[in-house]
Amino acid sequence: MKFTLSAIIIIMLGLLPGSVRQVAAQDATPTLYKMKCQICHGPDATGSPAGKKMLVKDFTSPDVQKQTDAELLEIAKKGKNKMPAYGGKLTDNQLTELIKYMRDLAKPGARGK
Ligand code: HEC
């Protein structure tokens, strides 16, 4: 019994290699954003000076807001123009959390304005 249970757990971990990291990533989203995205998207998701040179889009703009989470996830996974592709580097779950986080950053209240 014991063997069976641990075997199942090992198989499940094997099938879902990101699962453990995904749980951790939920708390780590702001850190992940700072490490991987802020350099171009800026601390408030409106775009850093370097990002703006690469035509990063302001997350407060209707252009970004009107896109669904699924559409934004596609861009984050596959990349677009100067936006690097993160599929394979980050999990869908991490990217979804990051997109939510970026939408939150872009809300007027989030910046105390
Ligand atoms: C090297 C600079 C750079 C980095 C680093 C970067 N991005 Fe981007 N990102 C861009 C640019 C430029 C665009 C605009 C692409 C376009 O539409 O031409 C963009 C667009 C996006 C979009 C789609 C918004 C839209 O409508 O254009 C999402 C979502 C996004 N980035 C998420 C992320 C996430 C999440 C990270 C961190 C894991 C990240 N980006 C890191 C440069 C970057």
Side-chain angles (χ1 to χ4, degrees):
M1 270 316 265
K2 242 187 185 163
F3 169 76
T4 313
L5 189 63
S6 43
I8 289 169
I9 290 168
I10 289 165
I11 290 165
M12 280 175 63
L13 287 176
L15 290 175
L16 302 167
S19 60
V20 176
R21 272 176 293 136
Q22 281 173 17
V23 172
Q26 276 162 9
D27 293 328
T29 302
T31 311
L32 204 57
Y33 179 78
K34 284 194 190 88
M35 279 165 44
K36 307 241 180 217
C37 321
Q38 183 165 313
I39 187 162
C40 295
H41 287 278
D44 58 3
T46 59
S48 68
K52 281 179 182 149
K53 280 191 201 133
M54 295 182 233
L55 306 178
V56 106
K57 285 190 189 140
D58 181 345
F59 265 61
T60 62
S61 71
D63 229 26
V64 176
Q65 292 295 334
K66 74 179 182 211
Q67 296 184 72
T68 64
D69 287 352
E71 286 170 329
L72 295 177
L73 179 63
E74 273 307 292
I75 298 177
K77 278 168 75 171
K78 295 192 178 151
K80 188 179 171 189
N81 302 320
K82 295 273 198 278
M83 166 68 193
Y86 283 97
K89 290 187 202 142
L90 296 174
T91 64
D92 283 14
N93 201 15
Q94 285 175 311
L95 290 171
T96 304
E97 287 299 318
L98 282 166
I99 288 164
K100 261 195 247 163
Y101 180 70
M102 290 169 87
R103 283 204 201 266
D104 282 348
L105 282 180
K107 282 182 191 150
R111 279 167 289 147
K113 277 181 195 162

